Amino acid sequence: QSALTQPRSVSGSPGQSVTISCTGSSSDVGGYNYVSWYQQHPGKAPKLIIYDVDKRPSGVPDRFSGSKSANTASLTISGLQVEDESDYYCCSYAGRSTRVFGGGTQLTVL
Amino acid sequence: QVQLQESGPGLVKPSETLSLICTVSGGSINGYYWSWIRQPPGKGLEWVAFIYYSGRTSYNPSLKSRLTISIDTSVNQFFLNVRSVTAADTAIYYCARHMDTPGNEAFDIWGPGTVVTVSS
C-alpha cells in the first residue's frame, strides 16, 4: 500500500485558482469514487473539505471543488484567499477496508 | 456536537507497548466507524486502523502485525495498542469519526491529537 502522490507545494495569488493533484492507481483512486480531501493548518487537526470525490460538507465554501479522472483526483480552490494557505491531503479507499493518504501539498498564497 | 479527545502516555520506551484512548463526547459511539490516524513530525498523515461499533476491524497492512484496535461502547471509548514500538512510531496520533455516508470513507470529526514520543 503506497502513499498517493501529491505535489510537495503549489502557490497562487489572492483571487486566482490553484489545482492540487493526487495520483494513485486502479487499486485505490481509480477503482472507487471514495476520495476525500483535508485541510490542515499548522498545529491543528485536519479538516474535511471534500468527500466522495466531489461533495462538500456543510459549511465548506463552494470555492473548494473536487474531481477525478482515471487514477488522478484533483482539488481546485478558486478565488484564493490568504486563509487558504495550508497543507492539503488527499485520501482514498484502497480496497479490503483500508485507506491511504497522499503525502500532502503545501499551498502558499503569495 | 460530537467531540473526540485522545489520551496517551506521551513518552514510551522502545520495544514497549503504546496504549491510546479516544473518548467520544456529545454523541453516541454506536452506529459509526472510528479510526486512528497518525502523523510523524514534519510528515504526512498515515491511516492506522478502524473499528466499527459492532467490533469489526481493519488495519493498515504495513502495521497490522503490531496493532490491536478495540472498543467499549458502554463508556463511549475506543482504543489502540501498538506493540514493540520504535522511533518510527513517534507521531501525533489522531482519532477520527468516519462520515455516515454509503462509503464511510471520509473522516468528518477529528480529535486534537496526542503527541507520542518513543525514546529511552
Side-chain angles (χ1 to χ4, degrees):
Chain A
Q1 190 183 59
S2 300
L4 307 176
T5 300
Q6 297 181 233
R8 292 289 297 266
S9 63
V10 298
S11 63
S13 300
Q16 288 186 334
S17 294
V18 294
T19 296
I20 299 171
S21 61
C22 169
T23 301
S25 69
S26 58
S27 298
D28 37 62
V29 175
Y32 312 92
N33 287 323
Y34 293 140
V35 176
S36 51
W37 289 89
Y38 302 85
Q39 177 189 62
Q40 186 182 33
H41 286 115
K44 299 294 187 181
K47 172 189 174 185
L48 176 66
I49 55 174
I50 294 288
Y51 69 98
D52 291 356
V53 175
D54 59 4
K55 297 180 176 60
R56 279 186 310 277
S58 173
V60 174
D62 59 6
R63 303 186 295 104
F64 294 88
S65 62
S67 62
K68 191 187 85 166
S69 178
N71 297 336
T72 298
S74 299
L75 171 70
T76 298
I77 309 171
S78 58
L80 268 179
Q81 298 183 2
V82 173
E83 57 262 36
D84 297 334
E85 186 162 292
S86 187
D87 292 330
Y88 291 86
Y89 293 90
C90 61
C91 182
S92 175
Y93 180 73
R96 298 189 177 186
S97 298
T98 65
R99 275 77 173 164
V100 61
F101 280 94
T105 298
Q106 184 177 51
L107 168 63
T108 301
V109 181
L110 304 169
Chain B
Q1 72 276 22
V2 175
Q3 293 184 313
L4 308 182
Q5 181 65 57
E6 306 88 349
S7 53
L11 179 65
V12 187
K13 290 182 169 56
S15 80
E16 293 188 343
T17 295
L18 165 63
S19 296
L20 298 169
I21 302 170
C22 181
T23 301
V24 180
S25 61
S28 177
I29 203 169
N30 290 319
Y32 288 92
Y33 287 82
W34 305 90
S35 268
W36 287 98
I37 295 156
R38 70 181 187 179
Q39 185 171 34
K43 296 188 179 181
L45 300 168
E46 180 180 37
W47 175 75
V48 175
F50 83 62
I51 190 163
Y52 192 41
Y53 79 102
S54 64
R56 176 181 168 238
T57 62
S58 179
Y59 296 98
N60 185 318
S62 66
L63 302 170
K64 183 175 183 178
S65 63
R66 299 192 294 122
L67 300 178
T68 302
I69 189 171
S70 57
I71 195 165
D72 186 341
T73 57
S74 67
V75 294
N76 255 21
Q77 291 179 327
F78 64 102
F79 314 91
L80 180 72
N81 280 353
V82 185
R83 295 177 292 279
S84 304
V85 297
T86 70
D89 296 308
T90 294
I92 299 172
Y93 284 76
Y94 296 100
C95 59
R97 189 184 78 171
H98 291 229
M99 199 172 190
D100 186 17
T101 55
N104 300 112
E105 60 80 25
F107 310 107
D108 65 343
I109 300 177
W110 295 63
T114 187
V115 175
V116 174
T117 302
V118 178
S119 175
S120 56

